[in-house]
Amino acid sequence: MLKTDVVVIGAGAVGCAVARELSKYAVDVIVVEKNDDVGGDASKSNSAIIHTGYDAAPGTLESQLVVAANPMYDEIVKDLDVPFSRIGAILPAITQEQFEKLPEIKEKAFRNHVYDIEYKSGEQLLEMEPNLNPEVKGGLWIPRESIIDPFIFVQAMAENACANGVRFLLNTKVTDIHTENGKIKSVVTTDETIETKYVINCAGLYCDEIAQMVGKAEYKVVARKGQFFILDKNTSCRVEHIVLPIPTKVTKGKLMCPTIHGNMLVGPTAEDQDSKTDKSTSAEGLASITADVTNLVPNVNVRDTITQYSGLRPNRNPEGLHFDIWDDLEGYVNLSGVRSTGLTLSVSMGKYVVEQMLYHGAGFKLKDHFIKERKGIVKFSECSLEEQDALIKENPLYANVVCRCETITEAEILEAIHRPLGARTVDAVKRRVRAGMGRCQAGFCGPKVIEILARELHCEPTDINKNIEGSYMVTGTTR
Ligand SMILES: Cc1cc2nc3c(=O)[nH]c(=O)nc-3n(C[C@H](O)[C@H](O)[C@H](O)COP(=O)(O)OP(=O)(O)OC[C@H]3O[C@@H](n4cnc5c(N)ncnc54)[C@H](O)[C@@H]3O)c2cc1C
């Protein structure tokens, strides 16, 4: 039986942020993740915006954590070498009715302590964003709304936690939790049972099922699907900022913004569904995005789509972000309702969880040596010609471009596979170095990535999965 102090369930943004925060302390931590990669579920299928919290419900835990999180990104993205940009958001009012809502939105932002939100006239907004609907009456400018690479962000937190001693058990599902005399005793997994003093439930969509294992299922999680288009980098109609609609009670609405790598992101929908696994996109859902976003940016050209995807928000019923610990269950921490702002607030949630555990008696002591920084994989395409020349001299595999759309070299793919918590699937390579993220969507580099993975992992191409177990891309030879 494995033994540890803390088991974190789930290696999404929240689980990895909690694990990284705990790794600053002299405490043994194991993260258990049912997928074969870190990066989570909702954490890899979202809008990738680091919010300010301007529109959160004032006085809630969500407002507190999002507002606290936003300024933390200036430091954390430098420490962890994560692509991030403070491009800012505009909230244009296209109709008179929307225009009349602006004071209320600004006042709410102030109540959330977001004071740098400003009015802009229609002319000012059109100057900032020429592709905006020319009927724009005016709007709000929210300068600290930002964009990030969500894949690298979660990987970076996981890699840094790992460098500081956290163990990750991937491909391992938590199936039960044992308690004794009102205390956490052990976590049963599909692999081993782990004896532990603490369990932190960061299981996202499945946090209600984990809570049920300890008799604390006071809520249900309903998946709220969000569908998106990703447009080609060369699309005819671009925006330079996050262009947000006036939010409703149900959703922040459908937006258009650049991704950190220069594509255009358009979406998402908000559709409640029973299934926690159905991530299909639908003609109706996508059509509703086009209809809504056209009001903001009339020339948006969804015919330049290179891919579509959807993500599932773990919406809690009753609603709201919750942090719970119970007097009659020592050692159990439950997080639920981490919904539309979970990527942003993961970092402040990590701190909050540890502070609460300390407050409730966990005697963790800070380590003498915490490794604060993590270096990402060198991006050959972003290097100067001199730097590229030097890289090729040092390692000729930098001269072999495997993904032509994104100019990703074999050397970068090898690093994605061989660094700690390295890639084991085609999608895991894609999320680390962007091979297959370009216009041809892996049509050219897909077979080459399979070949490299099989060679490096000493297995057959037929053993390589696209993502989950059983998602083989090659089934055998034809001749
Ligand atoms: C459409 C959409 C748009 C969004 N846009 C934004 C945005 O722009 N900005 C923002 O801040 N947030 C956004 N979010 C929200 C954000 O993505 C999530 O709140 C956040 O990623 C949640 O992270 P998590 O770690 O809680 O969950 P997840 O990423 O879902 O991770 C949970 C992990 O737990 C694992 N797990 C579950 N059960 C078990 C088990 N029994 N054993 C082991 N492992 C288990 C899962 O496999 C998964 O890896 C969006 C979400 C969606 C869906």
Side-chain angles (χ1 to χ4, degrees):
M1 192 193 282
L2 276 173
K3 245 181 142 172
T4 189
D5 298 313
V6 186
V7 169
V8 176
I9 305 176
V14 175
C16 291
V18 168
R20 177 173 189 257
E21 198 57 35
L22 282 168
S23 76
K24 296 176 180 169
Y25 294 81
V27 58
D28 193 69
V29 182
I30 295 180
V31 178
V32 184
E33 168 54 57
K34 69 181 168 60
N35 294 340
D36 57 11
D37 194 8
V38 298
D41 202 338
S43 305
K44 56 180 190 245
S45 44
N46 49 56
S47 314
I49 296 172
I50 298 305
H51 297 293
T52 51
Y54 79 95
D55 61 339
T60 57
L61 179 63
E62 185 175 17
S63 159
Q64 178 191 330
L65 292 182
V66 177
V67 172
N70 186 289
M72 292 166 72
Y73 281 85
D74 291 321
E75 189 179 336
I76 197 165
V77 298
K78 281 200 192 96
D79 287 347
L80 299 181
D81 200 6
V82 179
F84 171 81
S85 178
R86 290 211 179 272
I87 59 172
I90 61 177
L91 197 72
I94 309 298
T95 63
Q96 188 58 31
E97 196 189 340
Q98 289 174 350
F99 188 71
E100 282 160 17
K101 279 194 178 163
L102 296 179
E104 190 189 311
I105 297 172
K106 191 165 182 225
E107 196 257 332
K108 190 176 188 187
F110 274 41
R111 283 198 284 144
N112 282 314
H113 308 284
V114 177
Y115 300 117
D116 51 357
I117 183 166
E118 283 174 41
Y119 282 116
K120 295 276 179 200
S121 66
E123 296 82 68
Q124 283 174 314
L125 288 179
L126 282 166
E127 208 169 292
M128 291 168 79
E129 205 60 84
N131 284 321
L132 215 55
N133 188 335
E135 286 177 27
V136 58
K137 309 256 172 313
L140 294 169
W141 164 235
I142 314 152
R144 284 180 296 109
E145 292 275 314
S146 311
I147 52 173
I148 197 164
D149 182 324
F151 311 121
I152 305 275
F153 173 46
V154 184
Q155 284 152 23
M157 290 195 287
E159 285 178 16
N160 187 242
C162 181
N164 284 296
V166 172
R167 285 177 282 173
F168 284 79
L169 305 183
L170 302 178
N171 267 323
T172 309
K173 183 176 176 182
V174 171
T175 53
D176 206 357
I177 300 172
H178 291 162
T179 59
E180 202 174 80
N181 303 325
K183 285 186 187 173
I184 288 291
K185 187 164 181 283
S186 60
V187 170
V188 183
T189 78
T190 44
D191 194 4
E192 285 189 70
T193 294
I194 310 165
E195 195 183 311
T196 182
K197 293 189 206 112
Y198 293 94
V199 170
I200 308 176
N201 177 1
C202 304
L205 274 175
Y206 298 91
C207 68
D208 51 349
E209 293 173 25
I210 300 291
Q212 205 164 19
M213 293 174 192
V214 290
K216 296 293 182 190
E218 293 161 357
Y219 60 94
K220 275 296 319 145
V221 173
V222 179
R224 183 168 289 169
K225 185 187 275 183
Q227 305 185 35
F228 295 91
F229 291 106
I230 296 269
L231 309 188
D232 190 31
K233 288 178 181 172
N234 292 332
T235 183
S236 49
C237 171
R238 300 182 59 81
V239 290
E240 302 304 323
H241 307 92
I242 304 161
V243 180
L244 298 167
I246 306 286
T248 69
K249 279 206 173 93
V250 181
T251 168
K252 289 175 178 296
K254 302 179 185 85
L255 57 91
M256 177 164 174
C257 70
T259 70
I260 194 73
H261 299 288
N263 297 87
M264 287 292 131
L265 181 72
V266 192
T269 55
E271 306 154 74
D272 286 354
Q273 61 180 39
D274 292 335
S275 168
K276 290 184 178 180
T277 51
D278 174 3
K279 290 199 191 162
S280 57
T281 54
S282 66
E284 307 82 66
L286 295 170
S288 77
I289 298 173
T290 315
D292 287 5
V293 173
T294 304
N295 281 327
L296 298 170
V297 182
N299 299 336
V300 58
N301 189 358
V302 294
R303 284 196 298 186
D304 286 335
T305 297
I306 58 169
T307 191
Q308 302 147 2
Y309 68 93
S310 81
L312 303 178
R313 305 170 186 88
N315 196 35
R316 186 189 191 276
N317 199 355
E319 285 211 0
L321 175 68
H322 282 67
F323 168 93
D324 289 301
I325 45 183
W326 287 271
D327 288 343
D328 62 351
L329 184 53
E330 205 179 305
Y332 182 70
V333 177
N334 200 70
L335 307 184
S336 59
V338 186
R339 203 186 67 178
S340 303
T341 52
L343 193 67
T344 306
L345 62 76
S346 57
V347 289
S348 49
M349 179 61 101
K351 285 198 180 298
Y352 184 79
V353 166
V354 177
E355 278 163 17
Q356 289 294 322
M357 290 173 80
L358 291 171
Y359 178 75
H360 285 89
F364 307 152
K365 295 274 175 291
L366 280 168
K367 278 178 188 164
D368 289 338
H369 302 292
F370 168 68
I371 306 162
K372 196 175 165 220
E373 288 168 2
R374 164 261 182 204
K375 218 49 229 135
I377 299 174
V378 171
K379 293 175 207 73
F380 181 80
S381 64
E382 291 176 13
C383 293
S384 66
L385 285 179
E386 293 72 28
E387 288 165 338
Q388 291 185 341
D389 202 37
L391 282 171
I392 292 169
K393 282 202 178 101
E394 198 183 300
N395 179 358
L397 293 179
Y398 278 108
N400 182 20
V401 174
V402 176
C403 168
R404 289 182 182 173
C405 301
E406 297 288 312
T407 321
I408 310 299
T409 65
E410 185 171 353
E412 290 162 88
I413 295 174
L414 292 196
E415 197 181 339
I417 297 169
H418 292 300
R419 58 168 43 211
L421 301 172
R424 293 291 171 270
T425 64
V426 173
D427 282 0
V429 168
K430 178 163 91 174
R431 290 193 293 267
R432 280 165 178 74
V433 292
R434 293 186 56 77
M437 288 267 195
R439 180 182 287 178
C440 91
Q441 288 288 298
F444 177 78
C445 68
K448 289 178 191 289
V449 171
I450 294 174
E451 214 175 281
I452 297 170
L453 273 164
R455 185 188 75 211
E456 296 301 312
L457 301 177
H458 309 291
C459 61
E460 296 299 320
T462 46
D463 297 325
I464 300 298
N465 287 307
K466 179 175 186 320
N467 40 49
I468 55 169
E469 188 57 40
S471 58
Y472 306 112
M473 297 172 81
V474 178
T475 54
T477 50
T478 50
R479 286 193 257 170

